[in-house]
Amino acid sequence: MQRLNAIDAIAPAFTRTHEVLLHPFRVGRSWKLAASMYVGFAGSVFVPFPLFYLFTPMIPGMNTATVRAIVFVVATLGTLIFLGIFYLCARMSLVNFETVVTRQKFIAPMWRRYAQRVWPWIGLKVVLGTALSAAMAPLVFRAGKQFLATMLTMPRLLPGERPDPAMFLPFLHQILGFYSVFAVFFLVLKLASTLVDDFALPFFLLEDISLMAALRRGLGVLKADPLHSLLYLLLKAVLSVIGFLMQYIANFFALLLELLAGLLVGGLGAGALYLIAHVGGAAMRPVVALLGVAGLVLLYVAFAVCTFWFQTGSIGYLLTLLEAYAVYFLGGRYALLGNLLEPGPGPPFTPPPSFPSEDERKDRDGGPPLPMNPAVA
């Protein structure tokens, strides 16, 4: 496979995404593959959210030993549950990599294949996420504390009193600062996760090497081509933003179509119930009321299922595209991955040996042909 730059890797990524999800398109299987991408994406970044409760300031008057013990138990149980969910998501992310590379359609065999390889990967994610979170936690807590203090110091308005717009300026300043710190927090975590996922995970899964060796191999790729790697990271961020905007627009139109379809079906059903009630008289009114409630419940369930199916599928398509973009960028710089994405032509074709014709066999058996000139003979 030839080495692709960050721009040229976009087109084959779209092709691979269509091959994985849409060729052939099946409502159940295609959605299953997209949903697995959605689940695996949740295992890309580890943030110990439940443990943060241990460092939050207590409300005045409630800083007692009993309250601290309750907070500790809740945070510990929450962390264990969070680790269990993260294990499932991180293991699915390994399956997603193989799905994109090999275009496999069945999740269970790939899931079983990574029963042992997943543990070093989860350990790396937990250590990396916890270390970065602990390093940036003081900044986040400081911004949150200032935001909370600003909210508590805002003057209270009397009934009928008009608020002064100037009083909201400190609050706006603090909330913008708080969200900016939060954005930097997640960007740092996501950048570290992207570097590990895109440049170390392929080496770790495709070869029988340790995770530290895979990290060194990925670092070698970054050092060998730093400019194109930086451009790749920037373009991946741009693709993510554009993709999520397109997904949001597609969800809006899908919801609009679902509402129109629901109104049409509901109107037809209401008309049918009205005719039944009009023909049946008072005796059919309880039945009509029961059918109406059942119809509303079925419409709501159908609307919720269709919305969930489309939103999960559209996000899964985008995440599959981003995964394919990552493997095609690295494929030209990693021969084993490149051969899996685009297998070579194989050994050169050697035609079978040719057999002599009937005339050639007769000439060969009877010696050389007679010359036309008798003098020469």
Side-chain angles (χ1 to χ4, degrees):
M1 176 180 173
Q2 63 176 352
R3 179 175 296 190
L4 301 175
N5 58 38
I7 299 176
D8 294 336
I10 297 177
F14 274 100
T15 303
R16 180 56 61 105
T17 302
H18 293 165
E19 292 174 351
V20 172
L21 298 179
L22 304 179
H23 293 163
F25 174 75
R26 296 181 180 177
V27 175
R29 180 178 296 177
S30 299
W31 182 85
K32 177 195 68 174
L33 294 173
S36 67
M37 289 289 173
Y38 194 14
V39 173
F41 178 74
S44 59
V45 176
F46 178 82
V47 182
F49 283 115
L51 284 179
F52 286 167
Y53 286 104
L54 299 177
F55 303 98
T56 54
M58 290 289 180
I59 300 176
M62 297 184 62
N63 191 10
T64 62
T66 303
V67 174
R68 287 196 298 269
I70 293 174
V71 171
F72 176 79
V73 171
V74 171
T76 303
L77 292 177
T79 302
L80 293 177
I81 296 173
F82 184 72
L83 282 173
I85 298 174
F86 182 77
Y87 163 78
L88 299 176
C89 297
R91 188 168 175 178
M92 185 60 72
S93 67
L94 307 185
V95 174
N96 293 339
F97 172 80
E98 184 174 347
T99 301
V100 173
V101 173
T102 63
R103 290 170 291 193
Q104 294 292 325
K105 307 296 184 182
F106 299 99
I107 301 297
M110 295 183 287
W111 176 270
R112 292 191 295 266
R113 191 173 301 129
Y114 297 113
Q116 301 299 326
R117 300 287 282 176
V118 68
W119 291 109
W121 184 249
I122 290 178
L124 173 66
K125 288 285 187 175
V126 171
V127 171
L128 182 63
T130 303
L132 292 176
S133 299
M136 293 183 291
L139 183 63
V140 176
F141 287 145
R142 180 182 177 184
K145 186 177 180 180
Q146 291 177 352
F147 173 66
L148 182 61
T150 303
M151 290 184 61
L152 294 176
T153 55
M154 288 187 65
R156 297 185 178 182
L157 300 177
L158 297 176
E161 183 181 0
R162 298 182 61 182
D164 185 8
M167 65 183 294
F168 292 102
L169 291 179
F171 174 75
L172 181 62
H173 176 74
Q174 291 296 333
I175 194 172
L176 289 177
F178 177 72
Y179 280 113
S180 299
V181 170
F182 234 85
V184 172
F185 174 74
F186 278 102
L187 284 176
V188 171
L189 288 175
K190 187 57 184 174
L191 177 59
S193 173
T194 301
L195 291 173
V196 173
D197 291 342
D198 296 351
F199 292 97
L201 181 62
F203 294 100
F204 180 64
L205 294 184
L206 297 180
E207 300 183 38
D208 189 15
I209 59 177
S210 65
L211 186 55
M212 294 304 299
L215 292 173
R216 289 192 294 267
R217 297 278 293 276
L219 183 60
V221 173
L222 292 172
K223 289 182 178 179
D225 201 356
L227 293 179
H228 283 95
S229 299
L230 179 60
L231 180 60
Y232 159 76
L233 294 174
L234 293 176
L235 282 180
K236 189 172 184 180
V238 173
L239 284 175
S240 301
V241 174
I242 295 176
F244 278 110
L245 288 177
M246 297 298 294
Q247 189 265 342
Y248 180 81
I249 295 173
N251 282 336
F252 172 78
F253 284 104
L255 287 174
L256 184 61
L257 291 176
E258 291 174 14
L259 288 174
L260 293 176
L263 291 176
L264 178 61
V265 174
L268 293 176
L273 292 177
Y274 175 78
L275 291 177
I276 294 174
H278 181 72
V279 173
M284 293 297 296
R285 289 179 182 176
V287 177
V288 170
L290 183 61
L291 291 176
V293 173
L296 290 176
V297 172
L298 289 177
L299 279 177
Y300 177 78
V301 171
F303 177 80
V305 170
C306 292
T307 302
F308 178 75
W309 182 87
F310 184 82
Q311 288 186 353
T312 305
S314 58
I315 293 179
Y317 177 90
L318 173 60
L319 297 176
T320 306
L321 173 63
L322 296 176
E323 183 70 27
Y325 180 52
V327 298
Y328 268 98
F329 178 77
L330 184 62
R333 295 159 178 81
Y334 180 25
L336 181 57
L337 177 59
N339 292 333
L340 291 174
L341 295 173
E342 296 182 3
F349 175 73
T350 55
S354 59
F355 296 95
S357 63
E358 187 69 24
D359 295 336
E360 290 176 345
R361 279 202 302 271
K362 289 181 179 179
D363 293 340
R364 188 178 301 170
D365 295 338
L370 292 174
M372 296 299 295
N373 190 351
V376 176

